[in-house]
Amino acid sequence: MAAAAKVTSITAEYVWVGGRGEMRSKARTFHSTGTLASDLKFEKPSDLPVWNYDGSSTEQAPGTDSEVLLYPVGIYPDPFRKGPNILVMCEARAPATGEPVKCNYRSWAKSVFDQLLEEKPWFGIEQEFFLMDLKTGKPLGFPADGEPMPQFQYYCAAGAENSFGRAVINDHLDACIYAGLAISGINAEVAPGQWEYQIGPAEGITAGDELCISRYILSRIGELHGYGIELHPKPVKGDWNGSGCHTNFSTKSMREEGGLAVIKKAMEALAPAHADHMALYGEGNKERMTGVHETASYDKFTFDIANRGCSVRIGRETEKDGKGYFEDRRPASNMDGYLVTGMLMKTVCVPKAKMPVL
């Protein structure tokens, strides 16, 4: 009797952006009956099949025509299943028209980047968020009744009286490293239960892809620990910092000699486009950007050297070197990475590019 064929399999978790900007996923397992898994080596997104989901359950399609197609655009090692298994970043498109569905702006952003690839835009994205106690509905470190000690003792702090949820952020860091993301750091933020991680430097469309996958991984890590992930820019009212998603940006011209002059030219382009950017920089952002708690005014564009109370901050090192990058401090923690990176590229480098269709 012939020996039974060795069965191998790979599970691909297809990940996409849902109708409220949240991360969604579903898994598909591919089997092989060969002695080797060579037929299961998904080396590029196009090696994977297009899949579909029920868009009427994600607010992205009507129930009468609910099928939405998932087009793979990125592959990452799966930090949860591990082994040969993968996470697959996808674009969600309507089958009849081929157009991206609600909250899927990757195609638009890529069309902007593709107009000036030689400028090699780099992004560093600082994702702030709160870890939420699902029983109290408050951030970790907030008592069920009353208020914790005022902020400022928690930022980058250590100790059980100051740090809440460190195991979550450490697990997230390890998972992102496993997935091959360009995660470059973590830190505790100003309020109890508030944390930050940084994605980048990442070039062009990769920044939006990696932010999406990092958010998906964060939700999964929170799930394992039993905590909610809150991306609203001002979930705790009163004298507490909100959460942003500060976006550091540079082009090849900004990083070369004379780059500071290019950065200052970028400020001239950003100022008149301020309202267009704010309309796309996240819901609820006006609650955060009050001119206090390390924010600028929501309605007025400003920039300065090392000033965290401005719309855009230029670092001391960039000023000293005469080249480098700038930090756009306006994006909210729930911003869409494709919209923000695409808008920075459009306004600063390719002003004739089309605006995104929301």
Side-chain angles (χ1 to χ4, degrees), residues 281-338:
Y281 272 21
E283 292 187 19
N285 206 15
K286 199 166 188 176
E287 297 177 45
R288 178 183 74 96
M289 294 191 64
T290 58
V292 295
H293 299 121
E294 300 182 73
T295 68
S297 166
Y298 182 88
D299 298 312
K300 183 181 178 182
F301 179 83
T302 56
F303 76 93
D304 200 358
I305 305 296
N307 187 345
R308 284 178 163 78
C310 285
S311 308
V312 170
R313 180 180 68 90
I314 300 171
R316 290 286 183 199
E317 187 176 4
T318 295
E319 180 190 36
K320 178 184 175 183
D321 294 344
K323 59 184 177 181
Y325 67 94
F326 66 82
E327 177 193 40
D328 189 345
R329 298 181 57 79
R330 297 172 295 172
S333 47
N334 58 4
M335 64 83 150
D336 182 286
Y338 299 119

Side-chain angles (χ1 to χ4, degrees), residues 222-238:
E223 184 182 318
L224 291 172
H225 285 268
Y227 298 134
I229 307 299
E230 181 56 77
L231 294 183
H232 190 280
K234 190 69 174 179
V236 184
K237 312 309 177 189

Side-chain angles (χ1 to χ4, degrees), residues 110-126:
K110 189 174 185 302
S111 74
V112 175
F113 292 128
D114 286 350
Q115 293 183 48
L116 205 62
L117 291 173
E118 61 271 25
E119 273 294 340
K120 298 186 179 298
W122 289 359
F123 297 94
I125 301 176
E126 306 171 23

Side-chain angles (χ1 to χ4, degrees), residues 10-14 26-31 42 48-52 81 85-86:
I10 290 178
T11 297
E13 191 80 30
Y14 281 52
K26 59 188 293 191
R28 181 169 181 173
T29 300
F30 300 91
H31 296 278
F42 301 118
L48 286 151
V50 174
W51 204 13
N52 65 78
R81 294 189 177 94
N85 304 299
I86 53 177

